[in-house]
Amino acid sequence: MTWANRFRLLGGLVISLAVIFVLVVVFNQRQHTIASTSATIIAPRAAVASNYGGTVVTSYVQVGQPVQVGDPLFRVNSIALQQDLARGVTIASSEGLRVEPETGTLLYLATTPGTMTEVNAQEGSYLTASEPLAIITGDTDRIVQAQFVLTPIQYGLIERGAAVTLRLPNDSSVNGQVASAQVTTVNTAAVVTVRVTSDELNSGDLNLVATDGAPVQAVVQLRDEGLLAGPSDALRALIHKIGL
């Protein structure tokens, strides 16, 4: 055998071993990830309500309208408020409610940025005390609640802070991490409800797709304690870096 053939044989052997190593690492990586059976985006919801009932004089918002902190929402004429003011009762304004003693009206303000997803207060309608006038769904602090069906061994490998890939309805992906997990056992399987937080999920660019109640898929990275843990982490980091 010539030296040229020996070098070609050696090169082919090295390439084959490298391919086998990468395949083994990829297989190990997939063995240590688990996909959710269901997952939903949950956005914070703030109800607009008051201790005073009254007639809605002006509505400044409608369903689907974005609002910022301090934006006016409704002006309500309240006889009960006027009676309390006449008796000398001091009614203090707050961040979400401005008392207007000279007219006996209440001006409701937004206390959180978000979108009006429910509006019950229509101009001319009467709302009783504590009845919600509207619901504001926040554009920040969104989380994902995901469910997984795991074996006891898999459940033992899930931990707080574990990396999570969230696949959104538009086929894009963002990164998150496990914030908490609750488990119940059904027929020896662990049904785990995981809350996932993600800074990327709260990006303004995702406001249209990452809405409250939107379905997603969550893929959690389980703790890898094997010999290939290091190479698997390195390969995952490389894949993430090059955007695959």
Side-chain angles (χ1 to χ4, degrees), residues 10-239:
L10 179 60
L13 181 61
V14 170
I15 293 174
S16 298
L17 290 175
V19 171
I20 292 173
F21 177 77
V22 170
L23 291 176
V24 170
V25 170
V26 170
F27 175 77
N28 179 74
Q29 176 72 18
R30 291 183 176 178
Q31 289 296 101
H32 287 83
T33 58
I34 188 73
S36 60
T37 56
S38 65
T40 305
I41 294 175
I42 299 177
R45 295 161 62 89
V48 181
S50 170
N51 292 330
Y52 284 98
T55 301
V56 180
V57 178
T58 309
S59 174
Y60 299 97
V61 291
Q62 58 186 352
V63 173
Q65 179 176 332
V67 294
Q68 299 297 324
V69 174
D71 285 354
L73 304 177
F74 309 100
R75 179 170 271 107
V76 175
N77 189 345
S78 173
I79 295 178
L81 171 66
Q82 295 169 10
Q83 292 173 341
D84 281 349
L85 291 173
R87 289 196 297 267
V89 178
T90 301
I91 311 297
S93 297
S94 64
E95 182 185 12
L97 185 63
R98 183 182 302 164
V99 180
E100 300 176 336
E102 62 280 1
T103 58
T105 58
L106 301 166
L107 178 63
Y108 293 85
L109 307 171
T111 58
T112 182
T115 302
M116 306 299 301
T117 51
E118 184 177 323
V119 176
N120 301 319
Q122 304 297 327
E123 292 186 3
S125 63
Y126 181 86
L127 297 175
T128 60
S130 300
E131 184 177 355
L133 282 74
I135 299 291
I136 301 175
T137 299
D139 292 335
T140 60
D141 297 326
R142 289 184 289 242
I143 65 167
V144 168
Q145 183 166 292
Q147 281 198 331
F148 300 82
V149 178
L150 309 178
T151 65
I153 293 177
Q154 288 174 323
Y155 175 66
L157 295 176
I158 193 170
E159 58 187 2
R160 180 177 296 178
V164 183
T165 300
L166 301 173
R167 296 172 181 165
L168 304 179
N170 65 351
D171 226 12
S172 65
S173 297
V174 297
N175 297 314
Q177 52 278 330
V178 173
S180 64
Q182 293 181 330
V183 61
T184 57
T185 301
V186 180
N187 297 328
T188 72
V191 179
V192 184
T193 300
V194 174
R195 293 173 70 87
V196 179
T197 58
S198 170
D199 292 337
E200 296 178 27
L201 186 64
N202 290 290
S203 167
D205 296 338
L206 296 177
N207 282 346
L208 293 179
V209 65
T211 56
D212 185 49
V216 298
Q217 184 185 48
V219 179
V220 172
Q221 179 68 38
L222 302 178
R223 186 176 69 253
D224 188 353
E225 298 176 335
L227 295 176
L228 293 175
S232 294
D233 291 341
L235 179 61
R236 184 172 66 254
L238 176 61
I239 291 174

